[in-house]
Amino acid sequence: MLTFLLQPLRSPFRKLLARWVDLRLVEPDPQTLGLHPDITTLYVLPHAALSDSLLLEAFCARHNLPPPDARLHLASQPLKACVPLPRPGRRLWGRLPPAPAPFAGLIDDLEQFPGQDVQLVPVSVFWGRAPGKTFGFWKLLAADDWRLTGRMRRLLSVLVNGKDVEFHLGAPLSLRELYDGRSPELTSRKVSRLMRVHFRRVRTRVLGPDLSHRNTLIEGVVASPEIQRTIEECAAALGQSPQRMRRRARRYGREIASNMSYPVLRFLAQLLHRLWNQLYAGVQVNGLERAKALAGDHTLVYVPCHRSHIDYLLLSYVLYREGLMPPHIAAGRNLDMPVVGPLLRRGGAFFMRRSFKDNRLYSAVFNEYLHRLLSRGHPVEYFVEGGRSRTGRMLTPRPGMLAMTLRSYLRGTHRELAFVPVYIGYEKVLESSSYLRELQGGAKKKESPFDLIRVLGQLRQPFGQVTVNVGEPLRLGEFLDGCIPHWRQAEHGTRPPWMTRAVPELGRELSRRINAAAALNAVNLTALVLLATPHRAVEASLLKTQMAMLVELQRLHPGGAQLSLPEGTPDEWLNETHTLGFIERRDQALGELILANSEQATLLTWYRNNVLQLFALPALVAFAFRNNVRFDRDTLHDLLAPAWPLIDHELSVSLPGEFRQALDNTLDNLVHLGLLRHDNGTWRRPPSHDADSERLSLLGRLIQPSLERGYLLLAALLRYPSGSLTREALEEHSRQLAERLTLLSGLNAPEFFDRRLFSGLLDTLEKEGWLWREAQHLCFDKALEAAQLRGRVLFDPVLRHRLRQIALQ
């Protein structure tokens, strides 16, 4: 009756709604749906809502899609081209009769007319999820969530949230293909079930699982069998009462648990939207469709690189704006500061201590809390590096959170778990001044609430663009199938021995996938070229030519499968880098020069290291020709293959195939760019007076620091007999040698002699079998000496002599 009375008002209501509503997000682009113009279209809504159907009519008219208010006349009975799924209802005196199957009549028609079909298009509409220009009680009251929406609440939602509507269209489904020859009623129920699954996945992707009250979640953690058993054992071991240990467990739970709030998420999204527009010239997002494809039926664990304190804020903002539920974020307890901590906690942050392996109860509570998040399907985010990278390169992944995630997965989760690697690339980070101080050898500064005031003071400075690239997701089950073939035979709730091998492998693979999604930008391109020059000075024309060559090299054979390249021209890139304050430009009679002072050069190393992995193999090949005129393929392969694992470990490089195949492709690309000449199976470098020779030399110098560190470490090791040095002594001695080399070279580059780099080199040498330990001393055989001797041909005599002299100190 109500529908009949409102029918004459549909047209004015639709026009009014079309004027009032702004669609903030439409996904996907309507033109990419692939609707067949000769097939009848039927739109399906998750529930009956006049506002949704009117909005759909206005939307289809605007985008020239088949009208949802038309009538389908396939056979005997007409049917409106937009139908809601039936939903069981109740009344005071009992249940309503079952709703009729909405697709049965259409299936009857398809049986009578074999040449016809119907394409079903599911449509999901979300009112008020996104942040708008206003913020208040009524806006929050009317926003979409997991609760059912009544007529008055929907009316309020339309009035309050009309400027913040998300529109999600599903891929068309053929009704004829879904019909399996059984009765129309059974097929109708099957189609309804498929539609409900689709709508549930979309709703889960957009809103996430329903949030439990924080106190309820903490009490559930403490009451779990695992925590109760740990409480009893800790009480017995420490001689304390179980009640006291239980109170301590609750205190740990309150210290850890987030308190995610939809109103705070909306508030933060609005606040961050203004902040990003003030700080950056733009936020570019690439590859997010990879996460969206999994969000409906996978538990997502986002693993971004960690370059800035705003990484987690930026990623949560991007996910929220793009129609995905922001994750629960593992944050260091040092960020649980006054003012900042409570806000982050309500935005989804849960806090963890830097180390808790000596506190069994805390460890158990944290593990149980993480397991409950993952098992319920909540998206989670953490940084596998542990802390921010002070050198700009990817740090060696820490095993803690990865091991806890893997143990939770073995205990059992309702959905498959997938890691989503994310690369966040900045043209200029907010922490530039603190990174410069630390790169120059200064101590790390402890975070403080006053850092917010310092950030506000920088809002008028230019920070360029920021890019968020989503890499190739890693499904944990598939990864374990390839890494540990028999992992499914492990007993649930146990820590199988193979985890010791699986966790580091998982960390390395995630690091490679993060780096494979790197973003080349104006600043790191300038850094790659300028820092390869002997005195941090270069002709502007050569700098622009070399930057264009590096970009073209990535187009020919990218060093990362999901990397992004900068838009614009080398002139624009140079202007951008100068505007951000990273270089000096000096006019000279013979042409413009580009220079970097000591502080600029030191800071540029951080940005160079962000993307150095993309050019690792081309640079290694170019370096081999620095002291050698020509090579055939086999000789070059035998020379470079032993060094590649060391470079791979340091830079987390992702090769598309085997090393030999990648080497062949690199040689072909360098020939195409004119940097090498190819004659009868032999590659040779250009003549020294040729401009291409200088370009090849600049490319080779990108990898020189890594090779120099390896040379110094091996020279220091081989000075003594096998079994003479401990690992710690060799690491420290190598660090001192590298520091001496930078001082003698007149460079201010403490990142060159970072001890962790030498530790990584030793890890790789042990993994590859070149080194082994006996009684805590490093042992080797003649094979290592022979390999080091062969590798000497990579270095020219002057550089080799200098490195040897330093190594003899």
Side-chain angles (χ1 to χ4, degrees), residues 184-437:
E185 289 76 13
L186 289 176
T187 302
S188 180
R189 287 198 290 271
K190 171 186 173 183
V191 175
S192 298
R193 186 167 58 251
L194 288 175
M195 288 293 170
R196 287 192 181 93
V197 170
H198 167 81
F199 290 129
R200 184 170 62 249
R201 287 178 175 175
V202 172
R203 201 164 183 83
T204 300
R205 187 183 74 186
V206 174
L207 298 179
D210 195 11
L211 291 174
S212 299
H213 191 277
R214 181 170 181 260
N215 291 337
T216 303
L217 179 59
I218 293 173
E219 287 299 323
V221 168
V222 175
S224 67
E226 178 68 24
I227 301 302
Q228 289 298 310
R229 182 168 57 253
T230 305
I231 287 174
E232 295 294 336
E233 293 174 355
C234 290
L238 298 176
Q240 299 179 359
S241 66
Q243 292 76 14
R244 182 174 181 180
M245 299 304 296
R246 196 169 290 110
R247 289 194 298 271
R248 182 177 299 179
R250 289 193 183 92
R251 186 171 71 249
Y252 289 155
R254 289 190 294 271
E255 175 187 319
I256 295 167
S258 68
N259 191 20
M260 183 177 280
S261 164
Y262 283 116
V264 173
L265 287 178
R266 298 184 183 100
F267 169 74
L268 286 175
Q270 179 183 355
L271 177 66
L272 294 175
H273 178 71
R274 296 179 179 178
L275 178 63
W276 304 145
N277 288 336
Q278 185 70 32
L279 281 176
Y280 299 111
V283 179
Q284 297 183 353
V285 182
N286 302 304
L288 194 59
E289 64 276 0
R290 300 185 183 96
K292 290 182 178 180
L294 298 175
D297 51 8
H298 285 69
T299 297
L300 299 186
V301 178
Y302 296 92
V303 281
C305 62
H306 200 10
R307 306 285 163 78
S308 171
H309 266 318
I310 66 172
D311 290 339
Y312 38 82
L313 297 176
L314 180 62
L315 181 56
S316 293
Y317 166 80
V318 165
L319 295 175
Y320 192 85
R321 294 291 296 184
E322 294 294 328
L324 289 171
M325 183 61 191
H328 293 255
I329 308 164
R333 191 185 175 191
N334 57 316
L335 294 178
D336 192 11
M337 303 175 287
V339 181
V340 177
L343 189 61
L344 292 179
R345 198 183 290 274
R346 286 170 174 78
F350 61 96
F351 296 97
M352 59 185 299
R353 300 179 181 182
R354 288 297 181 187
S355 176
F356 46 85
K357 61 182 180 180
D358 295 329
N359 189 332
R360 185 182 175 189
L361 182 58
Y362 180 90
S363 176
V365 171
F366 190 92
N367 272 277
E368 183 65 24
Y369 175 77
L370 179 64
H371 174 67
R372 297 213 165 203
L373 290 181
L374 295 174
S375 63
R376 295 182 181 186
H378 291 287
V380 172
E381 174 192 341
Y382 54 76
F383 302 103
V384 294
E385 299 169 272
R388 287 173 295 153
S389 173
R390 263 65 176 186
T391 63
R393 60 170 56 85
M394 197 69 191
L395 301 179
T396 301
R398 295 189 177 182
M401 289 297 295
L402 291 175
M404 285 185 277
T405 303
L406 187 50
R407 285 200 297 270
S408 175
Y409 182 71
L410 293 178
R411 288 178 61 182
T413 55
H414 296 299
R415 302 194 297 174
E416 179 62 34
L417 190 146
F419 289 94
V420 181
V422 181
Y423 180 95
I424 305 177
Y426 300 91
E427 286 190 331
K428 186 176 182 180
V429 291
L430 290 171
E431 297 91 340
S432 287
S433 57
S434 63
Y435 283 167
L436 176 61
R437 182 179 63 254

